[in-house]
């Protein structure tokens, strides 16, 4: 289902027509009369709340992480490390994790790997990795995750095996059901010629959509120009996909995450529009815009196409937020990585530490913001300062929920290694 249209009474719609449309929209598009969505041991949503259109229960917090980009996930990883540091400082909780302060995460390619590292439950019940640990994981394992050049059939199998061993060792038998919050990770399925979205919500419904996390990471990050496609099967073997890089499907998964929340009235019953969201979208840097190579390789062409698609998503999301843009959505992206100045650094997966330094510099750049019908503008704050401000906003939402009588989210839960889903209200988040 497409995201519901968002109406504003200032757009010339008379009050009566606006109220009628709102009631019809809530009643039929989102199924508020579907008792399955309302009666799960929790209070029914007050009709007055639905009719008023007012947000009485706060905002759903969404984290979106781009695919590779110019820094192969390192800029997004660095952004997450900064964000987690700000969360700890502002909350006073030295053990605060990214997953504690977000309700949904979407990640593509390297972003999908970061999402898996930060949101998969460890043996102690907490997320397996801190943001800094996840960043180090990406830096230290780039060569295994992203082979730098096309290879023959034998070496394809060898390099694919290295990535498989890495992810198997990291995630063990954990599946999508073992994530602490809703997770969305895309890949492109060559067997159906369509995007495929790994989703925790779907996995909790049936084993036919539950996959092991190590397989999800391979599916979203496998480079079709180097390794080729990889076959994946669900836990019950009923769903089969032929996966390639998630960046081919949606390098910037922000729109997919927003659509998921707006249409998932089971877990997000009060979320009626973008004004009920807090969204941070993390990019991975754009290469220098100066064209030095008139015959880019297949891998370079895929990267360029991904960067362009990410910008288009950012523009579309910015327009959707409209006047709520300034307070509800931020995009962290950077440009000016000069491929001529850093040719070896950008092309060699061994130079992760060097790119780590470049990413730090990129976070000092002025933040660039898409504006409605006006292209882009450079803001007064740096990318890092924007992240610090956003940390304050999600902490405010976190604290507000502690005294709220109504839940902002009602997460589906399941017993480990079973397919029967239950419902849990996590008001503490």
């Amino acid at each position: 289902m497409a995201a519901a249209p968002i109406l504003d009474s200032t757009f010339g719609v008379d009050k009566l027509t606006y109220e009628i449309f709102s009631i019809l929209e809530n009643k039929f598009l989102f199924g508020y009369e579907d008792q399955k969505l309302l009666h799960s041991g929790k209070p029914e949503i007050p009709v007055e709340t639905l009719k008023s259109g007012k947000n009485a229960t706060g905002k759903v917090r969404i984290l979106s992480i781009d695919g590779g980009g110019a820094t192969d996930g390192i800029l997004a990883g660095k952004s997450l490390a900064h964000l987690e540091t700000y969360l700890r400082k502002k909350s006073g909780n030295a053990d605060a994790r990214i997953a504690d302060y977000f309700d949904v995460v979407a990640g593509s390619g390297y972003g999908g790997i970061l999402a898996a590292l930060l949101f998969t439950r460890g043996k102690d019940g907490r997320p397996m990795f801190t943001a800094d640990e996840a960043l180090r994981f990406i830096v230290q394992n780039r060569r295994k995750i992203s082979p730098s050049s096309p290879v023959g059939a034998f070496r394809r199998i060898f390099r694919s095996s290295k990535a498989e061993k890495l992810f198997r060792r990291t995630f063990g038998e954990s599946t999508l059901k073992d994530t602490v919050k809703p997770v969305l990770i895309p890949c492109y399925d060559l067997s159906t010629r369509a995007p495929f979205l790994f989703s925790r919500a779907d996995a909790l419904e049936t084993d036919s959509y539950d996959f092991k996390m190590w397989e999800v990471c391979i599916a979203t990050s496998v480079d079709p120009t180097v390794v080729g496609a990889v076959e994946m099967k669900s836990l019950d073997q009923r769903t089969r996909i032929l996966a390639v890089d998630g960046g081919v499907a949606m390098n910037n998964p922000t729109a997919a995450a927003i659509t998921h929340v707006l249409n998932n009235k089971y877990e997000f019953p009060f979320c009626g529009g973008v004004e009920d969201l807090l969204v941070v979208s993390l990019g991975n840097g754009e290469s220098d815009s100066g064209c030095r190579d008139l015959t880019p390789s297949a891998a370079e062409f895929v990267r360029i196409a991904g960067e362009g698609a990410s910008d288009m998503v950012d523009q579309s999301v910015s327009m959707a937020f409209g006047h709520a843009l300034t307070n509800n959505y931020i995009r962290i992206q950077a440009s000016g990585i000069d491929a001529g100045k850093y040719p070896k650094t950008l092309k060699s997966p061994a130079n992760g530490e060097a790119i780590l330094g470049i990413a730090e510099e990129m976070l000092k750049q002025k933040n660039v913001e898409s504006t409605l019908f006006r292209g882009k503008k450079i803001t007064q704050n740096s990318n890092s300062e924007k992240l610090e401000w956003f940390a304050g906003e999600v902490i405010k939402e976190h604290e507000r929920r502690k005294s709220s009588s109504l839940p902002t989210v009602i997460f589906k839960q399941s017993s480990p290694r079973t397919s029967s889903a239950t419902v849990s209200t996590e008001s503490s988040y």
Side-chain angles (χ1 to χ4, degrees), residues 222-337:
V222 61
D223 187 340
T225 67
V226 178
V227 177
V230 177
E231 184 180 31
M232 300 289 169
K233 292 183 180 180
S234 60
L235 286 190
D236 64 3
Q237 305 293 301
R238 292 183 180 181
T239 303
R240 171 190 173 275
I241 61 173
L242 200 58
V244 295
D245 187 359
V248 174
M250 51 184 83
N251 199 54
N252 179 348
T254 306
I258 291 173
T259 302
H260 173 80
V261 171
L262 293 180
N263 290 302
N264 182 355
K265 291 303 169 182
Y266 196 107
E267 295 185 291
F268 310 103
F270 290 94
C271 192
V274 294
E275 68 278 1
D276 299 330
L277 304 175
L278 277 174
V279 183
V280 58
S281 174
L282 304 179
N284 269 305
E286 296 180 341
S287 301
D288 181 41
S289 58
C291 183
R292 293 182 171 82
D293 189 353
L294 299 179
T295 58
S297 67
E300 289 170 334
F301 184 80
V302 169
R303 176 184 53 75
I304 292 169
E307 289 179 6
S310 291
D311 280 344
M312 288 296 293
V313 171
D314 175 43
Q315 286 281 342
S316 299
V317 170
S318 297
M319 291 182 68
F321 272 87
H323 298 296
L325 175 64
T326 304
N327 296 321
N328 296 63
Y329 169 75
I330 67 167
R331 169 75 170 165
I332 302 299
Q333 180 62 298
S335 60
I337 293 185

Side-chain angles (χ1 to χ4, degrees), residues 53-90:
K54 294 181 180 179
N55 177 19
T57 58
K59 299 174 182 177
V60 176
R61 302 160 301 182
I62 298 175
L63 170 62
S64 177
I65 315 172
D66 277 19
T71 64
D72 285 348
I74 293 178
L75 176 58
K78 193 68 176 177
S79 298
L80 288 163
H82 275 250
L83 181 58
E84 193 169 85
T85 296
Y86 294 138
L87 289 172
R88 291 178 175 182
K89 178 181 177 182
K90 290 176 177 290

Side-chain angles (χ1 to χ4, degrees), residues 94-232:
D95 191 40
R97 305 288 181 89
I98 291 292
D100 296 336
Y101 291 90
F102 285 92
D103 304 308
V104 182
V105 63
S108 181
Y110 274 100
I113 296 171
L114 286 166
L117 295 171
L118 294 173
F119 281 76
T120 301
R121 184 181 288 106
K123 293 180 180 179
D124 60 355
R126 297 284 285 148
M128 293 176 60
F129 281 66
T130 66
D132 192 61
E133 290 168 346
L135 172 60
R136 284 290 165 185
F137 180 94
I138 294 295
V139 171
Q140 294 169 5
N141 294 292
R142 289 175 71 230
R143 184 180 293 277
K144 295 176 182 177
I145 298 171
S146 295
S148 57
S149 60
V151 294
F154 175 77
R155 295 190 68 191
R156 280 186 182 185
I157 295 174
F158 175 71
R159 287 183 168 175
S160 178
S161 176
K162 290 178 68 176
E164 178 179 328
K165 288 180 180 178
L166 171 66
F167 291 128
R168 273 182 179 271
R169 185 171 64 250
T170 302
F171 294 100
E173 295 300 305
S174 297
T175 75
L176 283 164
K177 292 179 183 179
D178 296 313
T179 52
V180 296
K181 299 284 183 68
V183 170
L184 301 165
I185 299 176
C187 69
Y188 189 83
D189 181 13
L190 289 179
S191 63
T192 60
R193 301 289 176 178
F196 184 91
L197 197 62
F198 296 101
S199 168
R200 174 183 182 269
D202 292 339
L204 289 173
E205 291 297 324
T206 171
D207 283 345
S208 295
Y209 289 103
D210 194 17
F211 292 78
K212 293 183 178 179
M213 291 307 296
W214 69 262
E215 292 181 303
V216 173
C217 288
I218 289 178
T220 196
S221 63
V222 61
D223 187 340
T225 67
V226 178
V227 177
V230 177
E231 184 180 31
M232 300 289 169

